[in-house]
Amino acid sequence: MTNAANTPSLPSLPKRRVTTPGIMLTVLIPLLPAIAVRAWFAGHAWLLMLLASCLVAILLETLVLRLRGRPVSLARLDGSVLITAVLLLLVLPAATPWWLAVTGTGFAVIVGKHMFGGLGQNIFNPVLVGYLGLLALFPMHLTSPAAMTLAGNQSLATVSLSLAIMAGGLLLLGRRIISWHIPLAVLLTTGLVFYVFTPALNSYLALLLVFFIATEPVTSPGTRRGKLVYGALIGLMSTALTIWLPYSVAIAATVLAANAVTPTLDQLIRHDRKRHQPQEGV
């Protein structure tokens, strides 16, 4: 019988370190099908506009970090601004002028992210801050019929983009980057109010918002019940606002408003959970 003390211990395997750039890359990969579909229907000009917006996002991130006295390194350039630029270009109409896309990217990076303290400190989603900022400054460029038209077959483009975004969203769910609570609550509430998605609802934009934007961990609740309430609130308010506003504006404004009540939801639900927990010694 061997002595356990003399048995050599196996070296423990190092745990895989999860980094912010790694998480951002994991989020960016599911967006590739949507990028490919949008570029196919909108043309190479849209792809060049996307590359320009990503470059501007990185340059502004570097500049702001220097102005804030932060060291500029690969660790500081976490890649979140790339996600912001890509999502903003997918939210904006395909025929958006390049200078408007670049302006929105700058607004999202500077106002939406760094004005609140940087990554993890922002109260509102930077993508929606950039989009609604552009909408306030240049409404005609974003709401005119010409701006809302994709090149080629509009119906085919919308269906293809919706399927690409859904595939990316399912990949996020499968990798457990996001949970099912917010997407299900938003889509179920919207479906109950409208029975089915009607032409008034932009299907690909709804999917983009519920899978990639509304689920941002910094601006969404941290509890399961909070996520369900948060998602139901988005679905109910966005569908109600379509009576007066285009769906793209309604859902963007609703998610931003829901971001504002996220701390309250977390506080109320966590407080309620503590109140209902059994006390020790009872």
Side-chain angles (χ1 to χ4, degrees):
M1 186 174 180
T2 60
N3 190 349
N6 296 328
T7 303
S9 59
L10 295 176
S12 59
L13 296 176
K15 294 184 178 180
R16 188 177 181 180
R17 183 183 177 187
V18 179
T19 62
T20 301
I23 295 174
M24 296 304 165
L25 180 61
T26 307
V27 176
L28 184 60
I29 290 174
L31 284 170
L32 293 179
I35 294 172
V37 171
R38 173 57 74 88
W40 175 267
F41 285 99
H44 68 278
W46 182 87
L47 193 57
L48 291 175
M49 183 168 61
L50 175 64
L51 294 175
S53 295
C54 290
L55 180 60
V56 167
I58 294 174
L59 292 176
L60 287 176
E61 174 99 320
T62 304
L63 177 61
V64 173
L65 286 175
R66 286 189 178 277
L67 291 176
R68 294 177 60 193
R70 303 289 182 87
V72 178
S73 62
L74 291 178
R76 291 288 180 180
L77 299 177
D78 49 62
S80 63
V81 292
L82 293 178
I83 303 295
T84 299
V86 171
L87 288 174
L88 181 61
L89 263 291
L90 289 173
V91 170
L92 291 173
T96 300
W98 68 269
W99 58 268
L100 200 62
V102 169
T103 301
T105 300
F107 202 81
V109 172
I110 296 174
V111 179
K113 179 181 179 180
H114 285 286
M115 186 170 287
F116 291 97
L119 183 67
Q121 306 298 321
N122 50 292
I123 302 174
F124 303 105
N125 187 285
V127 177
L128 299 182
V129 171
Y131 175 73
L132 292 177
L134 287 179
L135 190 66
L137 295 173
F138 311 100
M140 296 303 298
H141 287 279
L142 300 182
T143 57
S144 64
M148 300 300 293
T149 303
L150 279 172
N153 190 311
Q154 177 72 11
S155 299
L156 180 60
T158 300
V159 171
S160 301
L161 194 53
S162 298
L163 292 175
I165 293 171
M166 184 178 293
L170 293 176
L171 181 58
L172 289 178
L173 289 171
R175 296 291 301 275
R176 296 186 179 182
I177 302 299
I178 63 173
S179 68
W180 56 266
H181 302 81
I182 294 175
L184 180 64
V186 175
L187 296 175
L188 185 60
T189 306
T190 304
L192 289 175
V193 175
F194 275 85
Y195 297 104
V196 292
F197 280 114
T198 67
L201 296 183
N202 190 321
S203 58
Y204 85 81
L205 188 58
L207 293 172
L208 187 68
L209 265 290
V210 300
F211 281 119
F212 289 95
I213 296 180
T215 54
E216 185 198 20
V218 177
T219 56
S220 61
T223 63
R224 293 180 179 178
R225 283 193 293 173
K227 292 177 188 293
L228 291 173
V229 174
Y230 174 85
L233 182 66
I234 292 173
L236 183 62
M237 289 181 58
S238 61
T239 50
L241 287 177
T242 54
I243 300 173
W244 303 280
L245 298 171
Y247 182 69
S248 58
V249 180
I251 193 169
T254 299
V255 175
L256 213 62
N259 292 162
V261 302
T262 291
T264 303
L265 285 176
D266 277 338
Q267 185 177 10
L268 289 176
I269 291 176
R270 285 172 181 166
H271 177 74
D272 182 70
R273 177 183 295 177
K274 290 180 180 179
R275 187 179 62 184
H276 286 84
Q277 283 179 345
Q279 301 294 324
E280 294 184 3
V282 176

